[in-house]
mmCIF file of all heavy atoms in Angstrom:
data_model
loop_
_atom_site.group_PDB
_atom_site.id
_atom_site.type_symbol
_atom_site.label_atom_id
_atom_site.label_comp_id
_atom_site.label_asym_id
_atom_site.label_seq_id
_atom_site.Cartn_x
_atom_site.Cartn_y
_atom_site.Cartn_z
ATOM 1 N N PRO A 219 -5.070 -26.308 12.952
ATOM 2 C CA PRO A 219 -4.001 -26.873 13.778
ATOM 3 C C PRO A 219 -2.859 -25.910 14.071
ATOM 4 O O PRO A 219 -2.429 -25.051 13.162
ATOM 5 C CB PRO A 219 -3.513 -28.004 12.881
ATOM 6 C CG PRO A 219 -4.649 -28.375 12.013
ATOM 7 C CD PRO A 219 -5.391 -27.091 11.748
ATOM 8 N N VAL A 220 -2.358 -25.934 15.241
ATOM 9 C CA VAL A 220 -1.202 -25.115 15.671
ATOM 10 C C VAL A 220 0.051 -25.728 15.120
ATOM 11 O O VAL A 220 0.234 -26.954 15.182
ATOM 12 C CB VAL A 220 -1.174 -24.952 17.229
ATOM 13 C CG1 VAL A 220 0.135 -24.367 17.686
ATOM 14 C CG2 VAL A 220 -2.384 -24.225 17.774
ATOM 15 N N SER A 221 0.929 -24.928 14.584
ATOM 16 C CA SER A 221 2.134 -25.407 14.006
ATOM 17 C C SER A 221 3.387 -24.977 14.808
ATOM 18 O O SER A 221 3.272 -24.121 15.667
ATOM 19 C CB SER A 221 2.313 -24.913 12.522
ATOM 20 O OG SER A 221 2.398 -23.484 12.565
ATOM 21 N N VAL A 222 4.522 -25.521 14.463
ATOM 22 C CA VAL A 222 5.749 -25.231 15.237
ATOM 23 C C VAL A 222 6.848 -24.799 14.200
ATOM 24 O O VAL A 222 6.976 -25.301 13.115
ATOM 25 C CB VAL A 222 6.281 -26.471 15.919
ATOM 26 C CG1 VAL A 222 7.580 -26.202 16.673
ATOM 27 C CG2 VAL A 222 5.216 -27.007 16.911
ATOM 28 N N ASP A 223 7.590 -23.784 14.575
ATOM 29 C CA ASP A 223 8.784 -23.423 13.809
ATOM 30 C C ASP A 223 9.937 -23.198 14.762
ATOM 31 O O ASP A 223 9.759 -22.939 15.979
ATOM 32 C CB ASP A 223 8.552 -22.241 12.893
ATOM 33 C CG ASP A 223 8.357 -20.914 13.673
ATOM 34 O OD1 ASP A 223 8.936 -20.765 14.757
ATOM 35 O OD2 ASP A 223 7.669 -20.027 13.183
ATOM 36 N N CYS A 224 11.188 -23.274 14.247
ATOM 37 C CA CYS A 224 12.417 -23.102 15.042
ATOM 38 C C CYS A 224 13.310 -22.175 14.265
ATOM 39 O O CYS A 224 13.453 -22.249 13.048
ATOM 40 C CB CYS A 224 13.088 -24.406 15.298
ATOM 41 S SG CYS A 224 12.154 -25.535 16.330
ATOM 42 N N LYS A 225 14.064 -21.369 15.036
ATOM 43 C CA LYS A 225 15.053 -20.453 14.423
ATOM 44 C C LYS A 225 16.081 -20.116 15.488
ATOM 45 O O LYS A 225 15.945 -20.397 16.691
ATOM 46 C CB LYS A 225 14.416 -19.193 13.872
ATOM 47 C CG LYS A 225 13.755 -18.355 14.936
ATOM 48 C CD LYS A 225 13.143 -17.068 14.291
ATOM 49 C CE LYS A 225 12.539 -16.158 15.340
ATOM 50 N NZ LYS A 225 11.977 -14.909 14.784
ATOM 51 N N VAL A 226 17.189 -19.568 15.047
ATOM 52 C CA VAL A 226 18.242 -19.130 15.921
ATOM 53 C C VAL A 226 17.730 -17.954 16.756
ATOM 54 O O VAL A 226 17.246 -16.972 16.208
ATOM 55 C CB VAL A 226 19.522 -18.747 15.174
ATOM 56 C CG1 VAL A 226 20.522 -18.147 16.124
ATOM 57 C CG2 VAL A 226 20.094 -19.941 14.475
ATOM 58 N N GLN A 227 17.815 -18.070 18.089
ATOM 59 C CA GLN A 227 17.239 -17.030 18.936
ATOM 60 C C GLN A 227 18.192 -15.820 19.024
ATOM 61 O O GLN A 227 17.740 -14.720 19.088
ATOM 62 C CB GLN A 227 17.015 -17.631 20.344
ATOM 63 C CG GLN A 227 16.166 -16.783 21.249
ATOM 64 C CD GLN A 227 16.965 -15.997 22.257
ATOM 65 O OE1 GLN A 227 18.084 -16.411 22.569
ATOM 66 N NE2 GLN A 227 16.445 -14.945 22.820
ATOM 67 N N LYS A 228 19.507 -16.124 19.102
ATOM 68 C CA LYS A 228 20.465 -15.030 19.017
ATOM 69 C C LYS A 228 21.733 -15.587 18.394
ATOM 70 O O LYS A 228 22.172 -16.693 18.663
ATOM 71 C CB LYS A 228 20.730 -14.371 20.438
ATOM 72 C CG LYS A 228 21.343 -15.386 21.427
ATOM 73 C CD LYS A 228 21.636 -14.653 22.710
ATOM 74 C CE LYS A 228 22.189 -15.529 23.757
ATOM 75 N NZ LYS A 228 22.514 -14.867 25.016
ATOM 76 N N GLY A 229 22.292 -14.769 17.497
ATOM 77 C CA GLY A 229 23.470 -15.272 16.760
ATOM 78 C C GLY A 229 23.201 -15.286 15.299
ATOM 79 O O GLY A 229 22.220 -14.665 14.743
ATOM 80 N N ASN A 230 24.013 -15.974 14.561
ATOM 81 C CA ASN A 230 23.933 -16.082 13.084
ATOM 82 C C ASN A 230 22.843 -17.081 12.704
ATOM 83 O O ASN A 230 22.843 -18.259 13.116
ATOM 84 C CB ASN A 230 25.285 -16.456 12.516
ATOM 85 C CG ASN A 230 25.359 -16.247 11.055
ATOM 86 O OD1 ASN A 230 24.411 -16.447 10.314
ATOM 87 N ND2 ASN A 230 26.529 -15.788 10.588
ATOM 88 N N GLU A 231 21.895 -16.682 11.829
ATOM 89 C CA GLU A 231 20.860 -17.638 11.386
ATOM 90 C C GLU A 231 21.361 -18.828 10.676
ATOM 91 O O GLU A 231 20.743 -19.854 10.694
ATOM 92 C CB GLU A 231 19.889 -16.828 10.468
ATOM 93 C CG GLU A 231 19.039 -15.773 11.165
ATOM 94 C CD GLU A 231 18.058 -15.081 10.257
ATOM 95 O OE1 GLU A 231 17.932 -15.593 9.105
ATOM 96 O OE2 GLU A 231 17.359 -14.144 10.659
ATOM 97 N N SER A 232 22.523 -18.725 10.092
ATOM 98 C CA SER A 232 23.110 -19.863 9.356
ATOM 99 C C SER A 232 23.598 -20.948 10.285
ATOM 100 O O SER A 232 24.050 -22.073 9.855
ATOM 101 C CB SER A 232 24.285 -19.416 8.421
ATOM 102 O OG SER A 232 25.335 -18.910 9.229
ATOM 103 N N ASP A 233 23.650 -20.692 11.607
ATOM 104 C CA ASP A 233 24.042 -21.745 12.541
ATOM 105 C C ASP A 233 23.043 -22.915 12.580
ATOM 106 O O ASP A 233 23.364 -24.003 12.978
ATOM 107 C CB ASP A 233 24.189 -21.106 13.941
ATOM 108 C CG ASP A 233 25.374 -20.120 14.079
ATOM 109 O OD1 ASP A 233 26.187 -20.125 13.111
ATOM 110 O OD2 ASP A 233 25.409 -19.348 15.043
ATOM 111 N N LEU A 234 21.822 -22.607 12.229
ATOM 112 C CA LEU A 234 20.766 -23.639 12.159
ATOM 113 C C LEU A 234 20.323 -23.727 10.706
ATOM 114 O O LEU A 234 19.523 -22.936 10.250
ATOM 115 C CB LEU A 234 19.613 -23.269 13.068
ATOM 116 C CG LEU A 234 18.429 -24.236 13.094
ATOM 117 C CD1 LEU A 234 18.807 -25.613 13.493
ATOM 118 C CD2 LEU A 234 17.318 -23.677 13.977
ATOM 119 N N ARG A 235 20.853 -24.727 10.000
ATOM 120 C CA ARG A 235 20.614 -24.759 8.548
ATOM 121 C C ARG A 235 19.441 -25.664 8.092
ATOM 122 O O ARG A 235 18.884 -25.456 7.068
ATOM 123 C CB ARG A 235 21.865 -25.271 7.826
ATOM 124 C CG ARG A 235 23.002 -24.180 7.938
ATOM 125 C CD ARG A 235 24.260 -24.693 7.225
ATOM 126 N NE ARG A 235 24.977 -25.634 8.022
ATOM 127 C CZ ARG A 235 26.003 -25.330 8.867
ATOM 128 N NH1 ARG A 235 26.295 -24.072 9.039
ATOM 129 N NH2 ARG A 235 26.600 -26.245 9.593
ATOM 130 N N SER A 236 19.089 -26.582 8.980
ATOM 131 C CA SER A 236 18.002 -27.525 8.597
ATOM 132 C C SER A 236 17.277 -28.128 9.791
ATOM 133 O O SER A 236 17.978 -28.642 10.727
ATOM 134 C CB SER A 236 18.524 -28.621 7.617
ATOM 135 O OG SER A 236 17.534 -29.494 7.282
ATOM 136 N N VAL A 237 15.977 -28.121 9.797
ATOM 137 C CA VAL A 237 15.177 -28.768 10.810
ATOM 138 C C VAL A 237 14.001 -29.529 10.149
ATOM 139 O O VAL A 237 13.314 -28.920 9.302
ATOM 140 C CB VAL A 237 14.641 -27.823 11.855
ATOM 141 C CG1 VAL A 237 13.966 -28.568 13.003
ATOM 142 C CG2 VAL A 237 15.696 -26.918 12.441
ATOM 143 N N ASP A 238 13.852 -30.789 10.452
ATOM 144 C CA ASP A 238 12.692 -31.556 9.958
ATOM 145 C C ASP A 238 11.660 -31.693 11.134
ATOM 146 O O ASP A 238 12.098 -31.869 12.280
ATOM 147 C CB ASP A 238 13.081 -32.930 9.454
ATOM 148 C CG ASP A 238 13.969 -32.815 8.188
ATOM 149 O OD1 ASP A 238 13.898 -31.844 7.463
ATOM 150 O OD2 ASP A 238 14.871 -33.758 8.062
ATOM 151 N N PHE A 239 10.388 -31.638 10.790
ATOM 152 C CA PHE A 239 9.365 -31.741 11.771
ATOM 153 C C PHE A 239 8.454 -32.950 11.533
ATOM 154 O O PHE A 239 8.120 -33.254 10.333
ATOM 155 C CB PHE A 239 8.509 -30.437 11.767
ATOM 156 C CG PHE A 239 9.206 -29.197 12.147
ATOM 157 C CD1 PHE A 239 9.777 -28.418 11.152
ATOM 158 C CD2 PHE A 239 9.322 -28.825 13.460
ATOM 159 C CE1 PHE A 239 10.420 -27.227 11.481
ATOM 160 C CE2 PHE A 239 9.994 -27.640 13.815
ATOM 161 C CZ PHE A 239 10.569 -26.851 12.773
ATOM 162 N N TYR A 240 8.108 -33.634 12.617
ATOM 163 C CA TYR A 240 7.235 -34.787 12.516
ATOM 164 C C TYR A 240 6.229 -34.670 13.678
ATOM 165 O O TYR A 240 6.511 -34.178 14.714
ATOM 166 C CB TYR A 240 7.985 -36.090 12.694
ATOM 167 C CG TYR A 240 9.174 -36.268 11.740
ATOM 168 C CD1 TYR A 240 10.503 -36.107 12.234
ATOM 169 C CD2 TYR A 240 8.981 -36.546 10.421
ATOM 170 C CE1 TYR A 240 11.578 -36.272 11.423
ATOM 171 C CE2 TYR A 240 10.104 -36.700 9.549
ATOM 172 C CZ TYR A 240 11.353 -36.517 10.063
ATOM 173 O OH TYR A 240 12.398 -36.692 9.246
ATOM 174 N N PRO A 241 4.958 -35.176 13.468
ATOM 175 C CA PRO A 241 4.455 -35.742 12.230
ATOM 176 C C PRO A 241 4.107 -34.657 11.184
ATOM 177 O O PRO A 241 3.896 -33.515 11.543
ATOM 178 C CB PRO A 241 3.180 -36.493 12.678
ATOM 179 C CG PRO A 241 2.736 -35.791 13.872
ATOM 180 C CD PRO A 241 3.986 -35.261 14.547
ATOM 181 N N GLY A 242 4.038 -35.146 9.957
ATOM 182 C CA GLY A 242 3.630 -34.234 8.857
ATOM 183 C C GLY A 242 4.490 -32.993 8.799
ATOM 184 O O GLY A 242 5.713 -33.047 8.769
ATOM 185 N N ASN A 243 3.835 -31.841 8.842
ATOM 186 C CA ASN A 243 4.549 -30.593 8.730
ATOM 187 C C ASN A 243 4.707 -29.976 10.090
ATOM 188 O O ASN A 243 4.811 -28.714 10.181
ATOM 189 C CB ASN A 243 3.783 -29.642 7.754
ATOM 190 C CG ASN A 243 2.297 -29.521 8.144
ATOM 191 O OD1 ASN A 243 1.812 -30.159 9.043
ATOM 192 N ND2 ASN A 243 1.640 -28.631 7.466
ATOM 193 N N GLY A 244 4.694 -30.712 11.154
ATOM 194 C CA GLY A 244 4.895 -30.181 12.489
ATOM 195 C C GLY A 244 3.752 -29.458 13.057
ATOM 196 O O GLY A 244 3.821 -28.299 13.499
ATOM 197 N N THR A 245 2.570 -30.095 13.123
ATOM 198 C CA THR A 245 1.381 -29.540 13.677
ATOM 199 C C THR A 245 0.827 -30.453 14.741
ATOM 200 O O THR A 245 1.038 -31.654 14.705
ATOM 201 C CB THR A 245 0.323 -29.263 12.571
ATOM 202 O OG1 THR A 245 -0.012 -30.540 11.930
ATOM 203 C CG2 THR A 245 0.795 -28.279 11.551
ATOM 204 N N PHE A 246 0.017 -29.834 15.600
ATOM 205 C CA PHE A 246 -0.756 -30.582 16.626
ATOM 206 C C PHE A 246 -2.169 -30.784 16.098
ATOM 207 O O PHE A 246 -2.939 -29.844 16.036
ATOM 208 C CB PHE A 246 -0.760 -29.834 17.962
ATOM 209 C CG PHE A 246 0.612 -29.690 18.635
ATOM 210 C CD1 PHE A 246 1.400 -28.577 18.371
ATOM 211 C CD2 PHE A 246 1.015 -30.663 19.495
ATOM 212 C CE1 PHE A 246 2.610 -28.474 18.986
ATOM 213 C CE2 PHE A 246 2.272 -30.571 20.097
ATOM 214 C CZ PHE A 246 3.018 -29.446 19.888
ATOM 215 N N ASP A 247 -2.520 -32.005 15.711
ATOM 216 C CA ASP A 247 -3.755 -32.272 15.163
ATOM 217 C C ASP A 247 -4.937 -31.945 16.088
ATOM 218 O O ASP A 247 -4.857 -32.181 17.335
ATOM 219 C CB ASP A 247 -3.872 -33.794 14.753
ATOM 220 C CG ASP A 247 -4.978 -34.098 13.757
ATOM 221 O OD1 ASP A 247 -6.164 -33.873 14.158
ATOM 222 O OD2 ASP A 247 -4.662 -34.427 12.620
ATOM 223 N N LEU A 248 -5.990 -31.443 15.536
ATOM 224 C CA LEU A 248 -7.167 -30.998 16.339
ATOM 225 C C LEU A 248 -7.792 -32.121 17.135
ATOM 226 O O LEU A 248 -8.463 -31.887 18.131
ATOM 227 C CB LEU A 248 -8.203 -30.323 15.446
ATOM 228 C CG LEU A 248 -7.762 -29.055 14.699
ATOM 229 C CD1 LEU A 248 -8.871 -28.549 13.825
ATOM 230 C CD2 LEU A 248 -7.234 -27.967 15.670
ATOM 231 N N MET A 249 -7.675 -33.361 16.656
ATOM 232 C CA MET A 249 -8.440 -34.485 17.206
ATOM 233 C C MET A 249 -8.016 -34.752 18.636
ATOM 234 O O MET A 249 -8.700 -35.504 19.374
ATOM 235 C CB MET A 249 -8.229 -35.710 16.347
ATOM 236 C CG MET A 249 -6.892 -36.289 16.280
ATOM 237 S SD MET A 249 -6.900 -37.756 15.181
ATOM 238 C CE MET A 249 -5.141 -38.203 15.216
ATOM 239 N N TYR A 250 -6.831 -34.245 19.098
ATOM 240 C CA TYR A 250 -6.371 -34.494 20.410
ATOM 241 C C TYR A 250 -6.944 -33.505 21.421
ATOM 242 O O TYR A 250 -6.576 -33.501 22.614
ATOM 243 C CB TYR A 250 -4.870 -34.475 20.483
ATOM 244 C CG TYR A 250 -4.239 -35.514 19.664
ATOM 245 C CD1 TYR A 250 -3.637 -35.191 18.394
ATOM 246 C CD2 TYR A 250 -4.301 -36.880 19.985
ATOM 247 C CE1 TYR A 250 -3.101 -36.168 17.587
ATOM 248 C CE2 TYR A 250 -3.730 -37.867 19.153
ATOM 249 C CZ TYR A 250 -3.163 -37.532 17.962
ATOM 250 O OH TYR A 250 -2.677 -38.485 17.127
ATOM 251 N N TYR A 251 -7.852 -32.648 20.989
ATOM 252 C CA TYR A 251 -8.460 -31.636 21.812
ATOM 253 C C TYR A 251 -9.960 -31.638 21.723
ATOM 254 O O TYR A 251 -10.506 -31.983 20.682
ATOM 255 C CB TYR A 251 -7.880 -30.249 21.420
ATOM 256 C CG TYR A 251 -6.382 -30.197 21.502
ATOM 257 C CD1 TYR A 251 -5.663 -30.381 20.286
ATOM 258 C CD2 TYR A 251 -5.671 -30.032 22.619
ATOM 259 C CE1 TYR A 251 -4.285 -30.381 20.295
ATOM 260 C CE2 TYR A 251 -4.313 -30.010 22.644
ATOM 261 C CZ TYR A 251 -3.596 -30.192 21.489
ATOM 262 O OH TYR A 251 -2.219 -30.201 21.460
ATOM 263 N N PRO A 252 -10.690 -31.178 22.736
ATOM 264 C CA PRO A 252 -10.148 -30.736 24.061
ATOM 265 C C PRO A 252 -9.722 -31.852 25.018
ATOM 266 O O PRO A 252 -10.129 -32.980 24.805
ATOM 267 C CB PRO A 252 -11.336 -29.948 24.594
ATOM 268 C CG PRO A 252 -12.551 -30.678 24.049
ATOM 269 C CD PRO A 252 -12.153 -31.122 22.700
ATOM 270 N N TYR A 253 -9.016 -31.413 26.002
ATOM 271 C CA TYR A 253 -8.557 -32.338 27.089
ATOM 272 C C TYR A 253 -9.608 -32.172 28.239
ATOM 273 O O TYR A 253 -9.991 -31.092 28.565
ATOM 274 C CB TYR A 253 -7.182 -31.982 27.557
ATOM 275 C CG TYR A 253 -6.701 -32.587 28.823
ATOM 276 C CD1 TYR A 253 -6.632 -33.977 28.890
ATOM 277 C CD2 TYR A 253 -6.268 -31.802 29.918
ATOM 278 C CE1 TYR A 253 -6.144 -34.589 30.118
ATOM 279 C CE2 TYR A 253 -5.818 -32.443 31.036
ATOM 280 C CZ TYR A 253 -5.729 -33.802 31.163
ATOM 281 O OH TYR A 253 -5.327 -34.348 32.306
ATOM 282 N N TYR A 254 -9.995 -33.302 28.789
ATOM 283 C CA TYR A 254 -11.086 -33.283 29.820
ATOM 284 C C TYR A 254 -10.606 -33.466 31.267
ATOM 285 O O TYR A 254 -11.431 -33.538 32.126
ATOM 286 C CB TYR A 254 -12.127 -34.361 29.459
ATOM 287 C CG TYR A 254 -12.986 -34.008 28.275
ATOM 288 C CD1 TYR A 254 -12.629 -34.389 26.981
ATOM 289 C CD2 TYR A 254 -14.099 -33.165 28.381
ATOM 290 C CE1 TYR A 254 -13.369 -34.081 25.880
ATOM 291 C CE2 TYR A 254 -14.868 -32.863 27.266
ATOM 292 C CZ TYR A 254 -14.498 -33.282 26.004
ATOM 293 O OH TYR A 254 -15.254 -32.902 24.871
ATOM 294 N N GLY A 255 -9.332 -33.524 31.478
ATOM 295 C CA GLY A 255 -8.789 -33.607 32.822
ATOM 296 C C GLY A 255 -8.313 -35.042 33.188
ATOM 297 O O GLY A 255 -8.904 -36.024 32.643
ATOM 298 N N LYS A 256 -7.450 -35.156 34.123
ATOM 299 C CA LYS A 256 -6.881 -36.457 34.435
ATOM 300 C C LYS A 256 -7.820 -37.442 35.145
ATOM 301 O O LYS A 256 -7.581 -38.627 35.075
ATOM 302 C CB LYS A 256 -5.569 -36.306 35.345
ATOM 303 C CG LYS A 256 -5.878 -35.659 36.670
ATOM 304 C CD LYS A 256 -4.563 -35.483 37.473
ATOM 305 C CE LYS A 256 -4.812 -34.907 38.861
ATOM 306 N NZ LYS A 256 -3.513 -34.759 39.593
ATOM 307 N N ILE A 257 -8.889 -36.959 35.728
ATOM 308 C CA ILE A 257 -9.809 -37.844 36.379
ATOM 309 C C ILE A 257 -10.614 -38.657 35.429
ATOM 310 O O ILE A 257 -10.845 -39.816 35.594
ATOM 311 C CB ILE A 257 -10.732 -37.034 37.350
ATOM 312 C CG1 ILE A 257 -9.904 -36.372 38.497
ATOM 313 C CG2 ILE A 257 -11.785 -37.964 37.940
ATOM 314 C CD1 ILE A 257 -10.772 -35.537 39.398
ATOM 315 N N THR A 258 -11.123 -38.013 34.352
ATOM 316 C CA THR A 258 -11.994 -38.679 33.393
ATOM 317 C C THR A 258 -11.197 -39.027 32.101
ATOM 318 O O THR A 258 -11.561 -40.044 31.447
ATOM 319 C CB THR A 258 -13.146 -37.865 32.956
ATOM 320 O OG1 THR A 258 -12.781 -36.592 32.538
ATOM 321 C CG2 THR A 258 -14.092 -37.655 34.233
ATOM 322 N N HIS A 259 -10.160 -38.283 31.755
ATOM 323 C CA HIS A 259 -9.424 -38.557 30.486
ATOM 324 C C HIS A 259 -8.152 -39.384 30.845
ATOM 325 O O HIS A 259 -7.046 -38.977 30.664
ATOM 326 C CB HIS A 259 -9.013 -37.228 29.862
ATOM 327 C CG HIS A 259 -9.243 -37.219 28.377
ATOM 328 N ND1 HIS A 259 -9.346 -36.068 27.614
ATOM 329 C CD2 HIS A 259 -9.393 -38.242 27.472
ATOM 330 C CE1 HIS A 259 -9.578 -36.335 26.376
ATOM 331 N NE2 HIS A 259 -9.547 -37.637 26.231
ATOM 332 N N VAL A 260 -8.427 -40.546 31.360
ATOM 333 C CA VAL A 260 -7.380 -41.338 32.123
ATOM 334 C C VAL A 260 -6.224 -41.826 31.181
ATOM 335 O O VAL A 260 -5.138 -41.904 31.615
ATOM 336 C CB VAL A 260 -7.989 -42.526 32.829
ATOM 337 C CG1 VAL A 260 -8.813 -42.028 34.060
ATOM 338 C CG2 VAL A 260 -8.872 -43.376 31.990
ATOM 339 N N ASN A 261 -6.507 -42.175 29.930
ATOM 340 C CA ASN A 261 -5.479 -42.694 29.064
ATOM 341 C C ASN A 261 -4.940 -41.616 28.079
ATOM 342 O O ASN A 261 -4.222 -41.999 27.143
ATOM 343 C CB ASN A 261 -6.105 -43.891 28.265
ATOM 344 C CG ASN A 261 -6.330 -45.087 29.122
ATOM 345 O OD1 ASN A 261 -5.644 -45.340 30.070
ATOM 346 N ND2 ASN A 261 -7.401 -45.778 28.843
ATOM 347 N N TYR A 262 -5.241 -40.407 28.315
ATOM 348 C CA TYR A 262 -4.854 -39.300 27.418
ATOM 349 C C TYR A 262 -3.368 -39.223 27.387
ATOM 350 O O TYR A 262 -2.687 -39.119 28.404
ATOM 351 C CB TYR A 262 -5.507 -38.014 27.857
ATOM 352 C CG TYR A 262 -5.197 -36.791 26.963
ATOM 353 C CD1 TYR A 262 -5.943 -36.596 25.842
ATOM 354 C CD2 TYR A 262 -4.111 -35.968 27.249
ATOM 355 C CE1 TYR A 262 -5.701 -35.488 25.002
ATOM 356 C CE2 TYR A 262 -3.831 -34.880 26.396
ATOM 357 C CZ TYR A 262 -4.681 -34.660 25.321
ATOM 358 O OH TYR A 262 -4.356 -33.576 24.518
ATOM 359 N N THR A 263 -2.808 -39.221 26.192
ATOM 360 C CA THR A 263 -1.376 -38.948 25.982
ATOM 361 C C THR A 263 -1.254 -37.681 25.027
ATOM 362 O O THR A 263 -1.826 -37.660 23.962
ATOM 363 C CB THR A 263 -0.653 -40.155 25.336
ATOM 364 O OG1 THR A 263 -1.459 -40.710 24.344
ATOM 365 C CG2 THR A 263 -0.309 -41.210 26.340
ATOM 366 N N SER A 264 -0.538 -36.734 25.588
ATOM 367 C CA SER A 264 -0.423 -35.449 24.835
ATOM 368 C C SER A 264 0.198 -35.662 23.493
ATOM 369 O O SER A 264 1.217 -36.391 23.346
ATOM 370 C CB SER A 264 0.400 -34.468 25.647
ATOM 371 O OG SER A 264 -0.185 -34.184 26.927
ATOM 372 N N PRO A 265 -0.307 -35.001 22.422
ATOM 373 C CA PRO A 265 0.320 -35.084 21.145
ATOM 374 C C PRO A 265 1.714 -34.378 21.189
ATOM 375 O O PRO A 265 1.943 -33.479 22.001
ATOM 376 C CB PRO A 265 -0.668 -34.314 20.216
ATOM 377 C CG PRO A 265 -1.390 -33.356 21.148
ATOM 378 C CD PRO A 265 -1.488 -34.111 22.440
ATOM 379 N N LEU A 266 2.577 -34.806 20.279
ATOM 380 C CA LEU A 266 3.948 -34.288 20.274
ATOM 381 C C LEU A 266 4.274 -33.740 18.884
ATOM 382 O O LEU A 266 3.695 -34.189 17.927
ATOM 383 C CB LEU A 266 4.944 -35.363 20.677
ATOM 384 C CG LEU A 266 4.709 -36.104 21.968
ATOM 385 C CD1 LEU A 266 5.600 -37.347 22.057
ATOM 386 C CD2 LEU A 266 4.865 -35.193 23.142
#
């Protein structure tokens, strides 16, 4: 699974002291892939 992290892009790292990720540890579960296209995968909702 692909994960997500966040940090200060420029400036003091202490400006961003805490971030929580959901669901779980902030990953995109494999079960939502592959995507087959809007014509046949009509009810597909992208994971967040």
Side-chain angles (χ1 to χ4, degrees):
V220 172
S221 62
V222 178
D223 70 28
C224 296
K225 64 180 182 180
V226 173
Q227 192 258 339
K228 61 178 181 179
N230 195 323
E231 291 184 5
S232 64
D233 293 345
L234 177 60
R235 291 180 283 268
S236 179
V237 187
D238 294 331
F239 297 93
Y240 308 105
N243 54 354
T245 59
F246 292 92
D247 199 294
L248 299 179
M249 66 182 177
Y250 300 105
Y251 305 97
Y253 169 59
Y254 288 93
K256 63 181 181 180
I257 296 178
T258 56
H259 225 158
V260 290
N261 292 323
Y262 183 84
T263 39
S264 299
L266 308 169

